[in-house]
Amino acid sequence: MDDRTVSAAADTRRTALAFLHAYWRGDLAAIHELVASTAIIELPRSTPLPSPAPLLDVIPLIFEQAYPRFRDRRFDIAVERCVIDDRVALVEYQATGTLVSGRTFCCRYLVVLAVEGGRIVRFRPYTDTKYIDAELFSPPSPAAC
């Protein structure tokens, strides 16, 4: 491996993780700095969000629809693995947090991030979409009497 390959891999890793940290914080301004204007998100067909779609159009929907389901709009992240293949980063992580319902949310994700010119150009997350839909996108269940 030559120095340019190592440097490119380090740049891919840095960009991918910076994007994910901004995504997890709900920091739209930082995301705009890290994402190409033409970037796309590719979600599993079972999600209620449009896909493929412009990433900068879908991220605010996620922040508006999913993040408020967490107490204080916050959750914890544990990155388990980050593998770089040229300009692609594969990041495996687990998100945990307390939902406003009082239930504990715990879900593992694998995301594939393509990076070009120091910016994210494709975001492809994989997760348990049935669990995500039930916990984050379905209307809250009415309280028991």
Side-chain angles (χ1 to χ4, degrees):
M1 224 185 266
D2 67 22
D3 288 344
R4 284 178 289 174
T5 303
V6 171
S7 178
D11 289 345
T12 296
R13 178 185 177 88
R14 188 172 25 259
T15 301
L17 291 175
F19 166 79
L20 286 172
H21 284 284
Y23 176 70
W24 298 327
R25 287 190 319 269
D27 187 344
L28 198 52
I31 286 173
H32 275 273
E33 294 294 319
L34 294 161
V35 171
S37 62
T38 57
I40 61 167
I41 187 169
E42 296 175 2
L43 296 165
R45 288 184 174 195
S46 58
T47 62
L49 296 171
S51 181
L55 180 56
L56 293 173
D57 290 349
V58 174
I59 293 275
L61 297 175
I62 294 170
F63 291 172
E64 292 165 10
Q65 295 176 19
Y67 285 34
R69 300 294 179 121
F70 291 90
R71 277 198 192 142
D72 301 322
R73 299 175 64 98
R74 295 286 174 233
F75 44 87
D76 295 316
I77 297 294
V79 174
E80 298 170 352
R81 186 168 289 104
C82 180
V83 178
I84 306 302
D85 181 19
D86 193 24
R87 293 179 292 170
V88 174
L90 292 92
V91 181
E92 184 178 15
Y93 66 92
Q94 185 165 317
T96 58
T98 303
L99 299 172
V100 294
S101 67
R103 289 190 312 274
T104 298
F105 177 90
C106 184
C107 192
R108 178 169 276 115
Y109 296 81
L110 174 69
V111 296
V112 180
L113 297 153
V115 178
E116 291 180 14
R119 294 191 180 259
I120 302 297
V121 295
R122 185 178 329 110
F123 177 42
R124 187 182 304 143
Y126 296 91
T127 192
D128 180 347
T129 57
K130 185 176 179 180
Y131 177 75
I132 296 294
D133 186 49
E135 295 296 332
L136 303 180
F137 292 112
S138 296
S141 302
C145 297

